[in-house]
Amino acid sequence: CSRCRAFHYCGAEHQREGHANHKRLCSTLHALAEGTAKMPEAAFKRHIEPLLEDKRAWQPSYIFSEFVARNNASPSEAEHVQLVKVSERFCGLRSCKTHSSLVERLKQKLTPCPQCYGVAYCSKEHMEEDKELHAKECSSLALARDAFRLLHRSPPSPQELGPDTDRAKMFPLVCVAIFNSRPLVACTTGRGTLQAKHFDELLAVEDFRLASPSLGVDILVKPRELKHDKAELTAVISDALSYPLTLLHASRVADVKSPPAHCELHLIGAVHFEWWCTGIFEELLHRWGCDSLAVHMIGVGLALPNDAARAEEPPLCKRCEGEKRRFSVTFHSMPYEAFLAENTSLPEPTMRVAFNAVFSDAEDAMQPLEAARKAALDDSLQKVAEASQGKALEDADDDEAEAKAAADKAVLEELAARQKEAPPPPAPASKWSETLKAVARCG
């Protein structure tokens, strides 16, 4: 954008499309950069100046306050996303002096690295000065960019996939279709302790299973033999498996050498992403060797669709099905403290793992949770004792009370039976469904 210089577009057409969402924020950023901001100095000193020590807090607050002062309204959701992006606007050279001033940063026109476009600089001199340090991350950032584009690309139309299309070119399309569906199933074909210390080693020795029950696709990927989009696909696969591989590393650190036949896992801080790809946790069944695995995903950010099931059993590979293994996932949209208070009868988990959460000291963090769980258990025992005592004082021959209890029980049983017979909610439609049908027609 030539006016605010804070946003880049891949073309003039996209810039025109985004103008409606960008124009109010653009004028705000331009005013801040040119020193014509409307926010009163008194308001700045009262609300913003105290936050200057914490750069993470003052950057968005400064822009937000000026936006409200200029427009007499809070930013929309799309404008808020842009506002957060502006707060991340830094020169790639960490020692650049413009970092300490948002106004100075807005005046600079950042030039991205031409190889990866993942880091931008306010001058060619700073780009050259950071060259040696950036070289270590440039290729990884470029690969991440290409993988992201591959994953979020628009599917080709069925007309583009004629009968003469090279099947090797179709294979990456099928893989991307699976990643765009739910539930996503991804795991390695190996069993037992994970020997590889980083993902490149895993690629050299393992094959990968990708499946989408909603699309009816279950394929085996051999990264070593891929002809097209090999680097991008392996980057996407490694990103999908980062959760279970991190958990396996955590179990190694926690010295979980011989997990029990039934394993309970508490995944704390879960968000919507974990709901989308529950099938990736089958990797734990393969590596731990347990007969059954129950994963509890707990987090205040776990916002599920209204028609989504709160518990499900992702489909397993044929080998796990033949060995009669079980794998279940239950979703809890609440803080972990509330989860412990409500589920006092659950067995002690094999592992607790915090994702997207700040657990600086796990031992200290668990103390209040365990105290809450104990208090909830004591409260439940007290209620049971009081109920038993009250029941003993009641007239045992009260026919009306017995009839009411029997009627309530019958209603509950009928509701339970209906829920059991109800069909599962339909899987979200995938924009790649028609592409997969076209691939199938091509043989």
Side-chain angles (χ1 to χ4, degrees), residues 182 272 275-276 302-310 331 333 425-426 428:
R182 185 195 183 275
H272 183 76
W275 171 79
W276 190 265
L302 189 61
L304 305 185
N306 293 330
D307 59 348
R310 300 295 158 178
F331 307 100
S333 302

Side-chain angles (χ1 to χ4, degrees), residues 183-187 209 274 276-283 314-315 327:
L184 163 66
V185 179
C187 59
R209 174 184 174 236
E274 282 83 45
W276 190 265
C277 52
T278 53
I280 63 175
F281 295 99
E282 183 183 347
E283 184 72 15
F327 173 36

Side-chain angles (χ1 to χ4, degrees), residues 37-112:
K38 288 188 175 183
M39 187 172 57
E41 186 177 352
F44 175 80
K45 287 186 175 294
R46 188 184 313 116
H47 300 294
I48 306 303
E49 206 168 56
L51 300 173
L52 291 180
E53 293 300 320
D54 186 355
K55 294 179 181 178
R56 292 169 301 177
W58 78 263
Q59 292 156 3
S61 299
Y62 194 5
I63 306 170
F64 181 86
S65 299
E66 172 62 19
F67 184 97
V68 174
R70 295 184 65 84
N71 300 287
N72 294 317
S74 296
S76 66
E77 185 176 348
E79 289 169 332
H80 182 73
V81 171
Q82 294 185 60
L83 188 151
V84 173
K85 286 184 178 179
V86 171
S87 70
E88 299 171 350
R89 178 183 164 85
F90 289 101
C91 173
L93 184 67
R94 293 293 88 186
S95 59
C96 178
K97 294 180 180 179
T98 60
H99 290 185
S100 59
S101 170
L102 177 65
V103 173
E104 290 300 318
R105 295 206 330 260
L106 290 175
K107 290 180 179 178
Q108 301 293 337
K109 182 179 179 180
L110 297 184
T111 303

Side-chain angles (χ1 to χ4, degrees), residues 53-295:
E53 293 300 320
D54 186 355
K55 294 179 181 178
R56 292 169 301 177
W58 78 263
Q59 292 156 3
S61 299
Y62 194 5
I63 306 170
F64 181 86
S65 299
E66 172 62 19
F67 184 97
V68 174
R70 295 184 65 84
N71 300 287
N72 294 317
S74 296
S76 66
E77 185 176 348
E79 289 169 332
H80 182 73
V81 171
Q82 294 185 60
L83 188 151
V84 173
K85 286 184 178 179
V86 171
S87 70
E88 299 171 350
R89 178 183 164 85
F90 289 101
C91 173
L93 184 67
R94 293 293 88 186
S95 59
C96 178
K97 294 180 180 179
T98 60
H99 290 185
S100 59
S101 170
L102 177 65
V103 173
E104 290 300 318
R105 295 206 330 260
L106 290 175
K107 290 180 179 178
Q108 301 293 337
K109 182 179 179 180
L110 297 184
T111 303
C113 167
Q115 275 74 44
C116 70
Y117 289 88
V119 179
Y121 299 89
C122 63
S123 66
K124 291 184 178 179
E125 291 76 17
H126 283 190
M127 182 184 291
E128 189 64 28
E129 191 175 341
D130 194 52
K131 188 175 182 179
E132 184 177 349
L133 185 62
H134 176 60
K136 299 177 181 178
E137 62 179 4
C138 187
S139 59
S140 297
L141 289 173
L143 181 60
R145 175 202 64 199
D146 293 339
F148 186 84
R149 287 179 178 173
L150 178 69
L151 183 59
H152 295 280
R153 66 190 290 186
S154 296
S157 64
Q159 292 75 20
E160 294 179 66
L161 297 172
D164 298 328
T165 305
D166 184 0
R167 294 190 67 185
K169 292 182 180 179
M170 293 182 187
F171 189 75
L173 298 178
V174 178
C175 295
V176 175
I178 294 173
F179 279 109
N180 276 279
S181 67
R182 185 195 183 275
L184 163 66
V185 179
C187 59
T188 64
T189 56
R191 294 293 193 276
T193 305
L194 191 65
Q195 301 296 334
K197 294 184 178 180
H198 54 80
F199 195 74
D200 288 340
E201 288 184 12
L202 202 65
L203 289 173
V205 297
E206 295 285 358
D207 298 333
F208 298 84
R209 174 184 174 236
L210 296 179
S212 169
S214 61
L215 297 178
V217 181
D218 193 330
I219 62 174
L220 191 66
V221 180
K222 298 181 179 181
R224 301 172 300 281
E225 300 176 7
L226 288 178
K227 296 180 180 178
H228 298 279
D229 301 314
K230 177 179 178 179
E232 293 85 348
L233 269 179
T234 52
V236 172
I237 293 172
S238 69
D239 184 64
L241 285 174
S242 63
Y243 272 81
L245 294 177
T246 302
L247 292 177
L248 289 169
H249 174 70
S251 66
R252 218 185 249 172
V253 174
D255 202 24
V256 184
K257 293 181 179 178
S258 300
H262 174 73
C263 287
E264 294 267 340
L265 174 65
H266 290 183
L267 185 58
I268 308 164
V271 293
H272 183 76
F273 174 79
E274 282 83 45
W275 171 79
W276 190 265
C277 52
T278 53
I280 63 175
F281 295 99
E282 183 183 347
E283 184 72 15
L284 302 178
L285 269 181
H286 294 181
R287 300 298 177 176
W288 280 350
C290 50
D291 296 330
S292 60
L293 173 65
V295 177

Side-chain angles (χ1 to χ4, degrees), residues 410-423:
V411 171
L412 290 173
E413 288 177 350
E414 183 179 353
L415 285 174
R418 286 181 183 178
Q419 290 178 354
K420 192 173 182 180
E421 295 172 0

Side-chain angles (χ1 to χ4, degrees), residues 384-403:
V384 170
E386 291 174 358
S388 300
Q389 186 177 4
K391 189 176 181 181
L393 297 175
E394 291 177 357
D395 186 359
D397 298 327
D398 191 345
D399 295 336
E400 186 178 349
E402 289 183 3

